[in-house]
Amino acid sequence: MSAPEPTTTDRKFLGRLSLPERRYIADALRTETVGGVLLLLAAIAALVWANTPLKESYATIRDFHIGPAALGLDLSIQHWAADGLLAIFFFVAGIELKRELVAGELRDPKAAALPVIAAVCGMAAPALVYTLVNVVGDGSLDGWAVPTATDIAFALAVLAVIGTSLPSALRAFLLTLAVVDDLFAILIIAVFFTSDLNFAALGGAFAGLVVFWLLLRKGVRGWYVYVPLALVIWGLMYNSGVHATIAGVAMGLMLRCTTEEGEEHSPGEHIEHLVRPISAGLAVPLFALFSAGVTVSGGALRDVFTQPVTLGVVLGLVVGKALGIFGGTWFAARFTRASLNPDLAWPDVFAVASLAGIGFTVSLLIGELAFVDDPVLMEEVKASVLVGSLIAAVLASMLLKLRVRKYRTLIEDEERDEDHDGIPDMYEEDNPDFHLRMAEIYEKKAAEHRQRAELAGASRDEADRPA
């Protein structure tokens, strides 16, 4: 499929980012990469733990209940990880979404159209693949949302393991996809996995959110104010019947993510910088440790590819995600007359789309919610998420490795700073001072080489002189 023909009015897709945006994305993804490696190790530990003679201890710890029963919070360790710790993850996702909407790639509707369309298609296509497989195979349609999610931390961990870095434009595209993906995952959880509502608790949670918002607007500071309030809001949201992680998202969206006079960073960015390591390094890995421990055997792996529910999840992640994101991106580019960055190619977009098929964390969460009444099928769905994510990771790794030399060249160009002023040279091409500094640097180098040439010539003459 050929790329859209560029015109004089074309906008660049996957073009150069602004310097502040590039720095923000680099900082955010650096933390996510470390968290992704921890997530990968936690998943491996869970699988090993659940498939050795120690598997009974794994089940005992995972199912151990703790918490105040009088407050409706006598939960298992696995439940605390899914409803409690993941609220921190979704809090960070809420801040990311707010920042993208007011200061990032999603603030311009025209620029946001393409990644939003790509993300929506990247969620609709896996759901459609899952539905088709289960209609034909007479399976359960309850798990249609399981393959719709993307786990950017796990995707970045795969990149770290295979030793491949992406140019900033592709990294930004992947992050934007994940942010929009998280938004729709939140909506899916809120709309389709809300149990019987307790309106008193829901009203209390809403009142707590109003207080949270008012305190922010009044400029009240202090973690000792907000952390206890956040815990109360979370507890009320859990007891309301709405999934408790929604409380985290709501509070994240309330933070101000634009800078005011005298501020280097907005309050939202500052809090995200503090909380993201907790989310990526603690909350998500612990969730993986107590959710990814499924029993793996030859029969279980065979069932993944023979039962309609599990096969639908695998095909949704591997085929649906890749085709949905790539197809949505290509058609959106044609519709919006956006031309692809000439340094990249459409196979690069397909490779990133394949990488987005890694749907670990949120897919496991939705799998637990979708099949909460069928523990056996829940475990099988978890296994299919692991298998599908692994296949997507291997496929994406192969595709990205084919272009690794090109990526290295682009990254070197992006990071080149010959005048050593801390700003990449590509962002100073229109700055006269930059060119004057470079002229001075080259003049000094030229003078140095002339001096070396004179010394080399003198040494040669001395060597050629007769004894």
Side-chain angles (χ1 to χ4, degrees), residues 337-374:
R337 306 183 73 83
S339 59
L340 185 65
N341 182 345
D343 292 330
L344 298 170
W346 285 101
D348 298 319
V349 179
F350 186 78
V352 172
S354 300
L355 190 65
I358 300 173
F360 189 77
T361 303
V362 179
S363 290
L364 289 176
L365 175 61
I366 294 177
E368 291 181 359
L369 297 174
F371 298 103
V372 67
D373 296 327
D374 191 340

Side-chain angles (χ1 to χ4, degrees), residues 2 10 15-16 26 85 90 106 113 196 200 233 315-316 322 324-325 330 398 408:
S2 60
D10 278 352
R16 180 190 302 178
L85 293 178
F90 279 105
L106 301 179
D196 295 335
I233 294 171
L315 292 180
I325 292 175
W330 191 86
M398 294 170 59
R408 287 175 182 168

Side-chain angles (χ1 to χ4, degrees), residues 165-444:
S165 296
L166 295 178
S168 59
L170 286 176
R171 284 181 288 164
F173 181 58
L174 182 61
L175 179 61
T176 305
L177 283 175
V179 169
V180 178
D181 196 287
D182 287 341
L183 169 63
F184 284 99
I186 292 162
L187 294 175
I188 288 172
I189 292 172
V191 174
F192 295 99
F193 297 106
T194 295
S195 57
D196 295 335
L197 291 178
N198 181 330
F199 288 100
L202 184 61
F206 180 77
L209 289 171
V210 171
V211 173
F212 189 89
W213 181 82
L214 289 174
L215 291 174
L216 289 173
R217 292 300 170 269
K218 294 294 183 180
V220 176
R221 297 187 178 186
W223 64 268
Y224 46 84
V225 174
Y226 291 101
V227 172
L229 179 58
L231 292 175
V232 171
I233 294 171
W234 176 86
L236 289 169
M237 188 70 75
Y238 176 82
N239 282 284
S240 73
V242 177
H243 199 269
T245 54
I246 303 301
V249 178
M251 287 183 279
L253 288 170
M254 290 181 181
L255 295 176
R256 176 168 59 83
C257 292
T258 53
T259 55
E260 295 181 349
E261 187 176 354
E263 290 182 339
E264 183 178 356
H265 300 289
S266 68
E269 289 176 312
H270 176 67
I271 294 174
E272 180 189 6
H273 182 73
L274 296 175
V275 179
R276 184 186 288 276
I278 300 174
S279 170
L282 180 66
V284 176
L286 282 177
F287 167 77
L289 180 64
F290 293 110
S291 291
V294 297
T295 303
V296 178
S297 64
L301 293 176
R302 183 181 63 252
D303 291 343
V304 166
F305 296 99
T306 56
Q307 295 186 20
V309 170
T310 51
L311 180 61
V313 170
V314 172
L315 292 180
L317 289 171
V318 178
V319 179
K321 270 290 183 183
L323 294 183
I325 292 175
F326 180 78
T329 303
W330 191 86
F331 282 108
R334 286 192 66 90
F335 180 75
T336 60
R337 306 183 73 83
S339 59
L340 185 65
N341 182 345
D343 292 330
L344 298 170
W346 285 101
D348 298 319
V349 179
F350 186 78
V352 172
S354 300
L355 190 65
I358 300 173
F360 189 77
T361 303
V362 179
S363 290
L364 289 176
L365 175 61
I366 294 177
E368 291 181 359
L369 297 174
F371 298 103
V372 67
D373 296 327
D374 191 340
V376 175
L377 188 54
M378 180 197 296
E379 293 298 303
E380 293 174 349
V381 167
K382 286 183 179 181
S384 67
V385 170
L386 297 177
V387 171
S389 297
L390 177 61
I391 295 173
V394 172
L395 175 62
S397 299
M398 294 170 59
L399 295 174
L400 292 169
K401 276 294 186 181
L402 296 175
R403 296 275 289 171
V404 67
R405 291 185 179 178
K406 178 65 175 179
Y407 296 157
R408 287 175 182 168
T409 301
L410 291 175
I411 292 170
E412 288 174 1
D413 291 340
E414 291 177 358
E415 296 178 349
R416 185 176 291 111
D417 182 20
E418 294 188 3
D419 61 340
H420 305 292
D421 65 344
I423 301 175
D425 295 342
M426 64 186 297
Y427 290 98
E428 298 190 286
E429 295 171 350
D430 298 327
N431 184 358
D433 293 337
F434 164 73
H435 294 288
L436 290 175
R437 288 195 299 271
M438 291 305 302
E440 183 178 352
I441 291 171
Y442 286 130
E443 286 169 1
K444 288 181 179 179

Side-chain angles (χ1 to χ4, degrees), residues 78-128:
Q78 182 182 15
H79 211 164
W80 275 111
D83 288 86
L85 293 178
L86 280 195
I88 302 174
F89 167 80
F90 279 105
F91 175 70
V92 174
I95 299 175
E96 285 180 338
L97 177 60
K98 178 68 173 290
R99 187 197 170 277
E100 288 293 314
L101 289 171
V102 301
E105 293 293 296
L106 301 179
R107 69 185 184 278
D108 179 7
K110 291 183 179 179
L114 199 149
V116 169
I117 292 173
V120 171
C121 292
M123 297 189 78
L128 180 60

